[in-house]
């Protein structure tokens, strides 16, 4: 069994201990190599006790939407701030593993290093799958920042106790910024650069925007390969 996998029946105390242990496995240097495929991941809960994960696959750098894979799994862990990966990661991993190509980068709608134990969802997925990963969250979990100017591409450091744990990034003028942090096998500068490179005029990077849209019940465009949850 992969030692980053979620053990059955894990308690909240055990989950925090596992995060602290696995945080030592996170690589915070740029180790992406040449990226041909980028995946986005989002998890919704159409039923209270089931997680519906959607992983999108885009070619890079041209960002052609190529495939989407879905997975439905029972929810086995409660909602606890700071322990989101124990609720979402099993379904997210199942969806990513069903994509027709292994992504060279994973964009997560959640935190990476910008986490109390420096092991958010993007770190957990990155270590579990051994894929470079970025946390591109819509809201802040920890840290303080003055915020970036209101122009696309602007950024400001996100600090926790004097340590830079991420960046507050304006992906589009006039919209709320994203909280970007390294997840695994990437540094913060590359995480910000690649997040912006995956944006096409919207707040969210394209892989995440489509993952969020499809997880909420939307339909994939014509020509996109769909691996349905019923095939999982």
């Amino acid at each position: 069994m992969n030692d980053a996998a979620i053990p059955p029946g894990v308690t909240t105390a055990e989950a925090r201990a596992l995060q602290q242990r696995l945080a030592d496995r996170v690589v915070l240097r740029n180790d992406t190599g040449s990226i041909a495929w980028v995946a986005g991941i989002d998890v919704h809960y159409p039923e209270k006790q089931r997680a519906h994960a959607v992983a999108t696959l885009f070619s890079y750098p041209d960002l052609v939407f190529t495939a989407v894979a879905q997975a439905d799994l029972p929810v086995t862990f409660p909602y606890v701030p700071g322990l989101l990966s124990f609720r979402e990661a099993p379904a997210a991993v199942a969806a990513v593993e069903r994509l027709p190509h292994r992504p060279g980068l994973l964009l997560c709608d959640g935190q990476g290093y910008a986490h109390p134990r420096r092991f958010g969802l993007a770190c957990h997925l990155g270590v579990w799958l051994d894929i470079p990963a970025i946390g591109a969250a819509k809201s802040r979990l920890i840290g303080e920042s003055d915020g970036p100017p209101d122009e696309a591409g602007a950024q400001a450091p996100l600090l926790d106790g004097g340590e830079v744990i991420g960046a507050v990034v304006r992906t589009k003028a006039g919209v709320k910024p994203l909280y970007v942090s390294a997840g695994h096998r990437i540094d913060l500068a590359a995480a910000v650069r690649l997040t912006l490179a995956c944006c096409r005029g919207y707040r969210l990077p394209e892989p995440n925007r489509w993952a969020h849209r499809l997880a909420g019940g939307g339909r994939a465009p014509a020509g996109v390969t769909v691996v349905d949850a019923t095939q999982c």
Side-chain angles (χ1 to χ4, degrees):
M1 180 179 179
N2 188 314
D3 65 355
I6 312 289
V10 65
T11 66
T12 54
E14 290 168 340
R16 292 187 182 97
L18 183 61
Q19 285 181 328
Q20 291 171 332
R21 178 171 62 83
L22 291 175
D24 291 337
R25 298 259 305 276
V26 172
V27 175
L28 295 176
R29 64 179 181 274
N30 196 19
D31 183 33
T32 61
S34 179
I35 300 171
W37 301 100
V38 176
I41 187 73
D42 204 302
V43 181
H44 280 213
Y45 300 89
E47 299 177 21
K48 190 173 183 180
Q49 294 303 318
R50 293 198 69 81
H52 178 68
V54 172
T56 59
L57 187 69
F58 283 70
S59 59
Y60 184 85
D62 51 345
L63 294 184
V64 175
F65 190 3
T66 302
V68 56
Q70 306 173 63
D72 281 307
L73 289 177
V75 174
T76 61
F77 196 85
Y79 173 76
V80 180
L83 297 177
L84 181 65
S85 65
F86 290 83
R87 187 173 174 86
E88 296 197 349
V93 167
V96 171
E97 288 183 333
R98 289 173 172 85
L99 290 170
H101 300 284
R102 178 176 171 84
L105 179 68
L106 183 62
L107 286 164
C108 305
D109 180 15
Q111 309 297 337
Y113 190 76
H115 181 275
R117 288 168 292 282
R118 307 301 190 253
F119 197 75
L121 174 64
C123 298
H124 204 152
L125 291 176
V127 170
W128 188 336
L129 292 164
D130 192 25
I131 292 175
I134 296 171
K138 294 190 288 291
S139 60
R140 177 178 60 89
L141 180 60
I142 62 166
E144 301 294 333
S145 178
D146 292 334
D150 188 15
E151 58 185 53
Q155 60 179 284
L158 181 65
L159 303 171
D160 182 39
E163 180 186 10
V164 177
I165 59 172
V168 187
V169 180
R170 190 86 63 187
T171 53
K172 180 183 179 181
V175 301
K176 294 180 179 179
L178 295 181
Y179 295 84
V180 177
S181 59
H184 184 52
R185 292 176 54 186
I186 199 165
D187 59 31
L188 179 57
V192 171
R193 175 176 56 82
L194 288 166
T195 297
L196 289 170
C198 289
C199 290
R200 290 292 186 269
Y202 294 91
R203 182 190 182 201
L204 297 181
E206 286 298 282
N208 289 34
R209 186 174 76 87
W210 274 101
H212 179 77
R213 181 173 177 176
L214 298 179
R219 300 187 65 178
V224 172
T225 299
V226 177
V227 181
D228 194 83
T230 58
Q231 297 174 264
C232 302

